[in-house]
Amino acid sequence: MSNCAIVGINWGDEGKGRMVDLISSDYDVVVRYQGGGNAGHTVINEFGKFALHLLPSGIFREGVVSVIGNGVAVDPESLLSEIRYVRDKGVSLTPDKLKISSRASLLLPWHKELDCLEEQRLADKKFGSTKQGIAPFYSDKYQKKTVLAGELFDEKAFFEHLQGIMEWKNLTIEKVYGAAPTTMEQLREWYDTCCVPLMPFIGDLDDFYDTCKQQDKKIMFEAQLGSLRDIDYGIHPYTTSSSTIAAYAPIGAGAPYLKLDEIIGVVKAYSTCVGEGPFTVEWFGEEADKLREHGGEYGAKTGRPRRVGSFDAVATRYGVKVQGATAIALTKLDVLSYMDKIPVCVKYKVGDRTTDRFPFPSLLAQSEPVTEYLPGWGCDISPIRRFEDLPQEAQDYVLFIEKQIGCYIKYVSVGPERDSIIIR
Ligand code: GDP
């Protein structure tokens, strides 16, 4: 069996969905192993343009099984509407093609509400949550105050368990936030309309993975967000609430005994970041607007303008290391074609010292970029499919980044479409 993880190296939005869609043709199974509906993986293929939130980006491939692992925050309402949306575009989605782990915890109706209430309470100190309920979900999961997808099959026991959690949760909703409590009637309606239609997809993944092993199937693990948003290794507290790191993939997928043979780190040719928190290479004003427009840098989930800046070799080096990346996919090189000279941040100045190591999170606020400039290529590179056909300046830019981050750049993406790719 040969396994590969596709992970984000930076702040997320690196183009992971596009890379999974491309590479999944070589794999039998694509698994989402962490995160939830706050993801926004954009995929463009023969069915159209999709922003996937919970569904693995392999669902468009015939013969590929898509799996939602136990590490994912399964929001029945969002997942169901996503399944309907994809089916409406002509993609067949049967229980043979999509499997949801019975060990996955369900994101409950109050999680999104609590996310909104807390962001309101924080006001100008907010973290920039996507308000998909992810932080309340994961904190409840680790308090063991969620229900597992597999519990849906025993309706009576499910509601008994859920009622206990609801009564506990209503204390916070009413007494901390002064909001209206959730009722059992609301939960029954949620169960009937959002959970029951998902039940055919839910099951134990153990036999499935055993069969994969016996039949020597190839499994791909698809991550959400990037290294710098990881709960343990990211820019605390501006992280997500789950592990975005490749090492977690087999655990969140439901097969903790599997080894990863390849880890492809997805890196954007410049930097973008959504939400609050330190972003050392950030640009402002006209320069930023121009890059944002050229790159179409608006959130796939929220439509929020993304913060933009030059390529950050310091953060990327760190991201490559914590992911254990064995190869890199560099995306959006075509976006830089308009620039005369291209800035790259090679080191940080932190206080009075210069470093090429990514600093401790609380030092990031006082970090400044040390920038080198490379010549631009000034022409459209999106039709190019061979590395040696790229203008010399574009080749040099890729090779410079490769040297800076210390990892082989195997894929260079020059457009959002499936085939806009250079494989070295
Ligand atoms: P993900 O969350 O990591 O999958 O990334 P997103 O989907 O949020 O953001 C990537 C965006 O860049 C999407 O709109 C993609 O269609 C687009 N994209 C990906 N690769 C390329 C590329 O090489 N060139 C251009 N111009 N767009 C790309």
Side-chain angles (χ1 to χ4, degrees):
M1 203 152 79
S2 153
N3 306 313
C4 157
I6 301 216
V7 294
I9 295 293
N10 302 113
W11 295 263
D13 309 316
E14 297 94 345
K16 295 176 293 296
R18 175 251 186 289
M19 290 310 300
V20 174
D21 181 61
L22 175 79
I23 299 172
S24 56
S25 62
D26 294 336
Y27 285 81
D28 303 297
V29 180
V30 177
V31 193
R32 275 283 307 272
Y33 62 89
Q34 47 79 226
N38 53 340
H41 295 174
T42 311
V43 175
I44 302 174
N45 56 29
E46 70 269 28
F47 295 102
K49 180 174 179 180
F50 299 86
L52 298 178
H53 305 300
L54 270 160
L55 287 173
S57 306
I59 44 149
F60 302 104
R61 298 270 187 196
E62 268 314 311
V64 170
V65 179
S66 291
V67 175
I68 297 179
N70 52 276
V72 176
V74 174
D75 175 358
E77 190 182 357
S78 303
L79 181 55
L80 191 63
S81 75
E82 205 171 322
I83 289 172
R84 287 180 175 150
Y85 159 68
V86 178
R87 274 181 171 159
D88 284 350
K89 299 261 183 153
V91 181
S92 104
L93 260 191
T94 58
D96 283 342
K97 213 173 158 204
L98 173 69
K99 298 188 181 297
I100 304 168
S101 168
S102 53
R103 283 186 168 270
S105 285
L106 299 180
L107 189 133
L108 299 167
W110 45 76
H111 287 134
K112 279 187 198 159
E113 187 191 352
L114 282 166
D115 223 345
C116 296
L117 290 167
E118 179 58 9
E119 285 277 291
Q120 275 165 26
R121 190 190 70 82
L122 286 167
D124 59 349
K125 294 195 182 66
K126 67 183 191 298
F127 288 92
S129 163
T130 53
K131 304 196 181 93
Q132 295 302 305
I134 301 301
F137 166 86
Y138 278 105
S139 37
D140 282 0
K141 174 173 171 169
Y142 287 98
Q143 285 203 74
K144 296 151 292 182
K145 298 283 194 191
T146 52
V147 283
L148 303 182
E151 291 182 62
L152 291 169
F153 294 95
D154 183 343
E155 195 176 330
K156 186 167 172 291
F158 175 79
F159 277 106
E160 274 168 23
H161 187 186
L162 193 57
Q163 180 163 7
I165 301 175
M166 181 197 75
E167 285 164 5
W168 168 79
K169 198 44 116 185
N170 277 342
L171 294 173
T172 308
I173 293 174
E174 289 184 284
K175 297 203 161 54
V176 176
Y177 295 106
T182 305
T183 63
M184 283 310 282
E185 289 67 38
Q186 288 168 332
L187 291 180
R188 284 207 171 272
E189 196 191 328
W190 169 77
Y191 176 86
D192 290 338
T193 56
C194 304
C195 301
V196 171
L198 288 181
M199 283 162 68
F201 299 99
I202 297 170
D204 189 331
L205 295 181
D206 220 33
D207 286 349
F208 171 73
Y209 283 120
D210 281 350
T211 312
C212 288
K213 217 169 169 185
Q214 282 155 15
Q215 298 180 353
D216 208 19
K217 299 281 189 199
K218 293 178 79 179
I219 302 182
M220 172 181 285
F221 302 93
E222 175 183 11
Q224 180 216 356
L225 289 166
S227 318
L228 304 174
R229 299 296 190 194
D230 180 79
I231 182 75
D232 289 295
Y233 298 98
I235 49 173
H236 178 84
Y238 300 98
T239 65
T240 193
S241 303
S242 64
S243 180
T244 63
I245 298 291
Y248 180 75
I251 296 175
Y257 41 81
L258 290 181
K259 266 202 346 255
L260 297 174
D261 301 302
E262 206 181 352
I263 299 170
I264 298 174
V266 188
V267 172
K268 209 178 265 187
Y270 50 96
S271 299
T272 64
C273 164
V274 172
E276 311 296 321
F279 185 38
T280 307
V281 294
E282 184 162 13
W283 294 354
F284 298 95
E286 224 175 275
E287 194 185 29
D289 292 343
K290 220 165 163 185
L291 179 53
R292 192 176 296 114
E293 286 309 315
H294 278 274
E297 296 298 349
Y298 297 89
K301 178 84 198 176
T302 57
R304 282 190 287 188
R306 292 177 181 150
R307 299 159 73 189
V308 298
S310 56
F311 185 85
D312 185 338
V314 182
T316 308
R317 225 176 273 137
Y318 172 78
V320 165
K321 183 177 171 183
V322 294
Q323 292 287 14
T326 56
I328 295 297
L330 184 71
T331 61
K332 296 196 135 178
L333 188 67
D334 54 303
V335 172
L336 300 181
S337 299
Y338 78 95
M339 289 186 189
D340 295 335
K341 52 180 187 161
I342 308 177
V344 175
C345 164
V346 289
K347 290 184 180 170
Y348 284 0
K349 196 163 174 292
V350 186
D352 55 5
R353 76 191 171 92
T354 303
T355 178
D356 52 14
R357 291 179 82 89
F358 194 64
F360 185 71
S362 62
L363 294 175
L364 283 167
Q366 33 170 311
S367 301
E368 289 168 31
V370 176
T371 306
E372 282 189 26
Y373 291 87
L374 277 80
W377 45 91
C379 64
D380 179 19
I381 58 168
S382 55
I384 296 174
R385 297 291 174 266
R386 293 190 323 168
F387 188 70
E388 53 275 28
D389 293 341
L390 283 171
Q392 192 58 47
E393 295 83 352
Q395 291 188 35
D396 289 347
Y397 184 77
V398 174
L399 296 175
F400 181 80
I401 286 177
E402 185 171 82
K403 196 159 176 220
Q404 284 287 326
I405 64 177
C407 192
Y408 175 55
I409 297 178
K410 181 171 173 183
Y411 303 91
V412 179
S413 174
V414 290
E417 301 81 13
R418 198 179 258 176
D419 69 338
S420 303
I421 195 86
I422 295 168
I423 305 179
R424 288 172 72 208

